[in-house]
Amino acid sequence: MRLLWLRLLPIYTGDREEDKVSVRVRFAPSPTGQIHIGNIRTAVFNWLFARSQGGKFLLRVEDTDQERSSEEFEEIILKELRWLGLDIDEGIGGGGEYGPYRQTHRLKIYKKYAEELQEKGCVFPCFCSPDEFEKEKNPEHSYNDPCRDLSPDKVEELRNKGVPEALRFRSPRQGKVSFLDSVHGEIAFQSQVIDDFALMKSTGYPTYNFACVVDDHLMKISHVLRGEDHISNTPKQILIYEAMGWQPPVFAHLPLILDKKRRRLKKRSGQQEAFLSSYRNAGYLPETVFNYLALLGWSPGEDKEIMSREEMVEKFSLEKINESGAVFDIEKIKWMNGVYLRNLERKEFRERALAFLSGQGLDTENEKLIFLMEALQEKVNTLKELAQKISEYFEPLAFPDPEDARQVLQQDGVEKVLSSLKAKVGEVDDLNPDRAANLLKEIIKELQVGGKLVYKPVRYALTGKGTGADLSAIMAYLGPENIRMRIDETFKFLKGDAHE
RNA sequence: GCCCCCAUCGUCUAGUGGACUAGGACACUGGCCUUUCACGCCGGCGGCAGGGGUUCAAAUCCCCUUGGGGGUGCCA
């Protein structure tokens, strides 16, 4: 629970006018794979904060993991940000005067500051091999690094032997490190539990904690909004800021996004739903994803949920960020996407749906597809669902639930209705939804039957099912030829052969 | 093990000591509308983890317990 006074304390924010205009936040992913939902949510919050404060949103690539980083993933990051509409003011894909913005291009910089820390005596070389260090680690005292107090002679000796050396921070063994988190209030760690973490790897690459601090400082980052999993890194980073004599940024640790089991939603769980790309591929609109993600861990403080980007920017504030983890609810985002889809203007829906459909191997040249598409607009939650529903009408007639179908089709008078329909469509060479609807009305009038004997039975006869798109749209889509064929097939089915 | 964070319907959340008979949304469910299918609308179900304090008054403040999560890398 946060204390009120902490919320109001104007430590770094809000008290001075210039603070407001100097807000600079960054999204700093590592290019090691498909972009993750949790990651992109962090980006969304950073972007929202920057825009709400009139600040800058930067993109920095943290590619210091030589094993896993790859340039192709950098492209993916850019593409995903663009898709979601998170425009970059500075950094990779945005230019700017504090570059380079790719950490592997900043190696000299880290080296320089590492040397500075060495001169200050805040660090020490470590000659342990990674495995060795693992063994030496004592679960009770994680700071227990065997190289911490090596004599200068010993250091000299090991260096001469060419033993690979890393650089570690000499963590204080008493006192405490604390900081004021904008989401959680004060967070404090006893210094003795902070181990002698590495700053530079033996490869000459910086570690995350070191590079991050150097870059955030040099790039004048004012607020660090990142996942809660970074809380335990924060005291280490603060120690570096202090050693360098730098002012740390404001930290805001965002609650984690959880899966149904309340575990952190992560790539390794293998769930496709952990990736942003899955949502694009499943036909979610970017505005839906943005809206839904913004609401995971943040609330404007009122009942409104469907909001425009502008509204969210206007209402966003660090104070309204929640402190507890949030389960990602696939049902809810599905519903939300349905709302966005239904709210689309006819024309826009058509364009966007067509663009998606053509990527799904559907024949978008067929202009009759439009009839179905529009009839389905209000019935689907995703464009993928739209594609699936449309494809069903490409398939040959089948009766998945023959019992039901028979019950409807065997009512007295239905046969007459179907025959009449068959005859009527025989007289026209094309159909549109209006004409189709009129045809059915004519039948009702001429045969003096109720709609009950027409709509549902015709639906079954033409589609084999009891639910689906608007009937006249289906008829227009199928066209006279297919309608006649399907009615014949239905008659066969009723006589007992085939189609089960 | 140690450190840190968190705790309101199944899920996302509103709630900053009295306006709470705890509000909204998803899901589920009953109905209305539509002579098809939906959309939509109206209703229902369902929650302050437990225990102690503080206070005239606690979902709200404090403590403990329990539960959940995260971290504990020369990953980020």
Side-chain angles (χ1 to χ4, degrees):
Chain A
M1 277 299 130
R2 277 166 288 183
L3 276 68
L4 186 57
W5 66 270
L6 284 177
R7 293 265 187 123
L8 299 176
L9 249 196
I11 297 288
Y12 311 114
T13 57
D15 57 331
R16 294 172 310 181
E17 225 2 78
E18 59 264 35
D19 276 347
K20 191 159 185 174
V21 293
S22 65
V23 162
R24 291 168 60 83
V25 295
R26 63 4 181 228
F27 175 47
S30 50
T32 55
Q34 273 292 335
I35 211 155
H36 183 256
I37 280 290
N39 267 160
I40 201 73
R41 199 274 309 247
T42 301
V44 167
F45 276 48
N46 273 284
W47 184 90
L48 235 21
F49 183 62
R51 292 291 166 268
S52 73
Q53 298 294 309
K56 295 263 194 265
F57 176 65
L58 329 215
L59 174 63
R60 180 173 77 219
V61 170
E62 310 213 329
D63 55 350
T64 56
D65 184 342
Q66 288 177 103
E67 314 257 300
R68 298 192 298 145
S69 294
S70 136
E71 275 189 34
E72 68 183 283
F73 293 130
E74 203 172 298
E75 282 308 310
I76 291 178
I77 291 166
L78 252 13
K79 180 178 152 199
E80 301 290 33
L81 288 175
R82 216 176 301 127
W83 184 68
L84 259 194
L86 306 182
D87 49 314
I88 300 158
D89 299 313
E90 192 179 315
I92 305 279
E97 45 185 317
Y98 297 94
Y101 295 91
R102 194 177 281 106
Q103 290 186 326
T104 49
H105 294 185
R106 301 171 62 79
L107 265 20
K108 275 186 204 148
I109 299 173
Y110 307 123
K111 203 168 175 195
K112 178 184 150 206
Y113 288 104
E115 276 161 14
E116 194 175 324
L117 285 174
Q118 211 143 15
E119 278 159 29
K120 288 182 173 171
C122 300
V123 296
F124 62 89
C126 171
F127 298 91
C128 302
S129 73
D131 299 347
E132 202 177 339
F133 184 67
E134 209 56 42
K135 261 183 268 163
E136 290 294 336
K137 249 173 125 178
N138 181 339
E140 307 287 315
H141 307 279
S142 51
Y143 56 77
N144 198 9
D145 189 295
C147 298
R148 179 168 167 129
D149 295 311
L150 250 31
S151 68
D153 289 349
K154 186 72 181 168
V155 168
E156 197 57 32
E157 181 193 330
L158 288 163
R159 268 193 190 139
N160 287 340
K161 273 199 212 157
V163 178
E165 99 188 60
L167 200 64
R168 287 181 180 279
F169 191 85
R170 189 181 294 277
S171 297
R173 292 189 173 170
Q174 48 207 314
K176 65 171 192 172
V177 180
S178 67
F179 62 98
L180 192 56
D181 186 284
S182 293
V183 174
H184 298 277
E186 187 181 6
I187 298 179
F189 292 79
Q190 292 300 318
S191 301
Q192 55 173 320
V193 305
I194 301 169
D195 61 2
D196 292 330
F197 56 97
L199 257 33
M200 297 294 287
K201 308 175 189 181
S202 54
T203 56
Y205 272 46
T207 61
Y208 161 72
N209 279 128
F210 187 49
C212 176
V213 167
V214 170
D215 291 347
D216 283 341
H217 175 258
L218 260 23
M219 294 176 187
K220 295 192 159 50
I221 298 302
S222 63
H223 296 70
V224 170
L225 275 61
R226 62 186 6 167
E228 215 173 68
D229 48 334
H230 284 290
I231 287 182
S232 50
N233 282 322
T234 310
K236 298 178 184 174
Q237 296 180 189
I238 287 186
L239 250 17
I240 300 174
Y241 279 105
E242 283 174 357
M244 291 303 312
W246 294 338
Q247 167 86 166
V250 175
F251 292 100
H253 287 98
L254 277 19
L256 263 18
I257 297 182
L258 280 17
D259 63 19
K260 303 152 276 289
K261 292 177 182 160
R262 298 211 133 260
R263 295 231 162 200
R264 179 180 168 194
L265 190 66
K266 57 173 179 241
K267 306 182 184 182
R268 316 274 157 141
S269 59
Q271 291 318 29
Q272 273 305 303
E273 64 182 32
F275 299 120
L276 211 218
S277 55
S278 319
Y279 295 87
R280 184 182 47 253
N281 296 337
Y284 284 82
L285 266 19
E287 50 267 53
T288 305
V289 176
F290 184 98
N291 193 157
Y292 182 74
L293 252 23
L295 254 23
L296 265 194
W298 172 76
S299 152
E302 52 190 85
D303 291 337
K304 203 167 176 190
E305 294 194 303
I306 305 287
M307 282 176 288
S308 71
R309 203 168 282 245
E310 292 70 32
E311 256 178 301
M312 290 185 265
V313 165
E314 191 196 320
K315 289 174 181 159
F316 191 81
S317 80
L318 259 30
E319 286 68 35
K320 291 300 230 177
I321 296 176
N322 280 108
E323 46 260 67
S324 51
V327 174
F328 190 95
D329 185 354
I330 190 78
E331 290 306 323
K332 186 148 181 174
I333 190 177
K334 233 182 235 174
W335 160 81
M336 190 177 275
N337 199 54
V339 172
Y340 273 97
L341 244 22
R342 272 173 243 122
N343 286 347
L344 250 30
E345 301 279 337
R346 268 261 185 273
K347 183 165 171 267
E348 201 183 345
F349 173 77
R350 190 186 300 188
E351 282 167 9
R352 296 174 74 168
L354 238 26
F356 183 85
L357 259 27
S358 62
Q360 295 286 307
L362 283 173
D363 176 20
T364 47
E365 296 299 300
N366 178 356
E367 74 264 2
K368 291 193 167 181
L369 205 67
I370 302 290
F371 297 141
L372 266 188
M373 253 173 51
E374 296 190 340
L376 253 12
Q377 178 177 5
E378 59 188 20
K379 294 182 176 59
V380 298
N381 283 331
T382 65
L383 293 175
K384 181 93 181 179
E385 212 181 311
L386 177 70
Q388 279 161 354
K389 289 222 153 105
I390 289 178
S391 335
E392 282 174 16
Y393 297 101
F394 278 110
E395 283 158 23
L397 184 64
F399 296 91
D401 190 345
E403 305 287 299
D404 244 35
R406 282 214 166 80
Q407 207 166 49
V408 171
L409 289 165
Q410 283 172 341
Q411 298 174 95
D412 281 344
V414 167
E415 191 179 335
K416 216 168 47 181
V417 167
L418 294 180
S419 301
S420 167
L421 176 61
K422 188 181 162 191
K424 278 181 186 298
V425 294
E427 294 163 15
V428 299
D429 41 50
D430 205 8
L431 276 176
N432 64 34
D434 282 346
R435 291 172 71 184
N438 284 335
L439 233 47
L440 296 178
K441 279 182 197 149
E442 280 172 32
I443 292 173
I444 288 171
K445 211 166 165 189
E446 288 167 18
L447 299 182
Q448 296 280 306
V449 295
K452 199 179 157 211
L453 285 183
V454 177
Y455 294 99
K456 198 124 192 170
V458 169
R459 174 180 292 283
Y460 265 105
L462 299 186
T463 71
K465 294 183 199 128
T467 61
D470 178 80
L471 193 48
S472 42
I474 293 172
M475 290 169 67
Y477 171 72
L478 288 174
E481 188 69 36
N482 278 318
I483 291 175
R484 294 208 326 247
M485 274 166 53
R486 288 188 173 213
I487 289 173
D488 283 341
E489 284 180 65
T490 297
F491 283 148
K492 271 191 216 154
F493 158 73
L494 287 174
K495 280 186 204 130
D497 24 301
H499 287 312
E500 301 224 354

